[in-house]
Amino acid sequence: QTKRHAAMTGCRLTIHANSPGGSARAVVLLLSLMVLLAGCGTRPDAGILEVSQQVASNTTPHTILVATTREPDTRPGTLFGRERSTGLNFAEATVSVPPTHEAGKIEWPSTPPGNPETDFTVRATQRLDDDGFRAALNAELARRPKGKREVFVFIHGYNTRFPEALYRMVQLKHDSGLPHVAVLFTWASGGNVTDYLYDSNSATIARDGLERTLRMLAGSNAEKVNVLAHSMGNWVLTETLRQIRISGRPLPERKIGVIAMAAPDLDIDVFKA
């Protein structure tokens, strides 16, 4: 299975553009994809998301909304781990990008909380309930002018730990220059190469959570919802879109923007079906 995954990590992309501006957004997402597939850093673990109180100038903060089927992890600086939750959990995190950032890279702190002048640094985190997530989402959308109130959802792939998913979302947001509200959907990946079967089952379990998240986004004040899924995240996305379709309760078509599938860990015949 690991060999199969490795063979599928090339840049294969499927794009659906549902509006006149779709092509432009597709190009931006494609550029983001190139960044996404660039490089691998040291693997982070529990405690890496410790909040920094250090004052720093010229950093760029990004607020990320999180919807996850991961179980909350109460260890300091961790937020969520590899365990599966029985429901959907929400959070909000603000992460700053250093002025020395190089596009395509994540400048991981050698020790938490890191130096905001040189590292990606967590500035604030909070757990949210359903109402808190909706309120935070609409508040972020309200900060954008009408015509630009869009959401960018990122669904990570196989072998991804929560800090990796969060910081990758930040890096995509920063390097692409997308003004959209960033929403990370993170499912309970085990975060190890040997966890392929665990990850596959976790991805399947996450279908209802992603459907609920997409319905919340479509029911918000967002004008468009754009989605980028990578690797095994495309299994979650495809299965979720299928179950939405057969539910008889489709998402509002006018709110569907770009759907991009990067290096999909998905059989082509399954996708066609």
Side-chain angles (χ1 to χ4, degrees):
Q1 293 289 1
T2 303
K3 181 179 180 181
R4 173 172 174 259
H5 174 79
M8 301 182 75
T9 54
C11 180
R12 288 194 292 158
L13 183 69
T14 301
I15 291 177
H16 162 74
N18 192 50
S19 65
S23 296
R25 282 194 297 274
V27 170
V28 174
L29 284 176
L30 180 57
L31 292 175
S32 300
L33 165 64
M34 298 307 179
V35 175
L36 168 67
L37 297 179
C40 295
T42 302
R43 303 297 300 272
D45 213 334
I48 195 69
L49 300 178
E50 180 182 338
V51 174
S52 172
Q53 304 298 333
Q54 182 178 338
V55 177
S57 59
N58 300 320
T59 61
T60 305
H62 296 280
T63 296
I64 309 297
L65 298 178
V66 178
T68 181
T69 55
R70 295 177 187 263
E71 185 72 14
D73 192 318
T74 58
R75 289 176 292 179
T78 305
L79 275 183
F80 299 101
R82 58 166 279 147
E83 301 301 324
R84 301 164 182 157
S85 173
T86 56
L88 191 61
N89 297 301
F90 302 100
E92 181 180 53
T94 300
V95 179
S96 66
V97 177
T100 55
H101 170 68
E102 296 181 36
K105 293 184 178 180
I106 295 176
E107 286 82 7
W108 289 99
S110 55
T111 56
N115 179 357
E117 296 285 359
T118 57
D119 307 324
F120 277 50
T121 307
V122 177
R123 311 304 292 183
T125 63
Q126 62 173 329
R127 301 189 193 280
L128 303 171
D129 58 16
D130 291 35
D131 291 340
F133 180 82
R134 290 188 181 92
L137 172 63
N138 284 322
E140 286 294 320
L141 289 166
R143 294 188 177 99
R144 279 103 174 139
K146 288 185 177 181
K148 295 186 180 296
R149 292 174 180 171
E150 300 195 23
V151 174
F152 170 35
V153 182
F154 174 53
I155 309 168
H156 64 77
Y158 155 69
N159 186 21
T160 303
R161 300 173 185 177
F162 176 73
E164 293 172 323
L166 176 63
Y167 277 29
R168 184 61 70 189
M169 174 86 260
V170 173
Q171 181 254 315
L172 284 170
K173 177 82 166 59
H174 185 88
D175 290 350
S176 68
L178 284 171
H180 308 341
V181 177
V183 176
L184 169 66
F185 182 82
T186 171
W187 47 277
S189 168
N192 291 293
V193 173
T194 55
D195 285 333
Y196 190 92
L197 183 58
Y198 180 87
D199 278 18
S200 179
N201 289 326
S202 292
T204 301
I205 291 168
R207 293 173 298 188
D208 289 352
L210 179 56
E211 177 179 359
R212 185 176 161 202
T213 300
L214 292 177
R215 291 194 184 280
M216 290 176 73
L217 298 178
S220 73
N221 295 330
E223 295 161 342
K224 292 288 181 185
V225 178
N226 307 285
V227 182
L228 171 63
H230 178 237
S231 177
M232 195 178 284
N234 287 284
W235 172 250
V236 188
L237 176 63
T238 301
E239 285 288 283
T240 300
L241 293 180
R242 178 181 184 275
Q243 75 178 40
I244 288 174
R245 181 62 178 266
I246 64 178
S247 72
R249 298 170 50 235
L251 298 175
E253 191 170 349
R254 61 184 173 79
K255 287 203 171 187
I256 301 175
V258 173
I259 296 176
M261 305 178 71
D265 190 353
L266 186 70
D267 185 276
I268 187 62
D269 293 323
V270 173
F271 173 75
K272 289 177 179 178

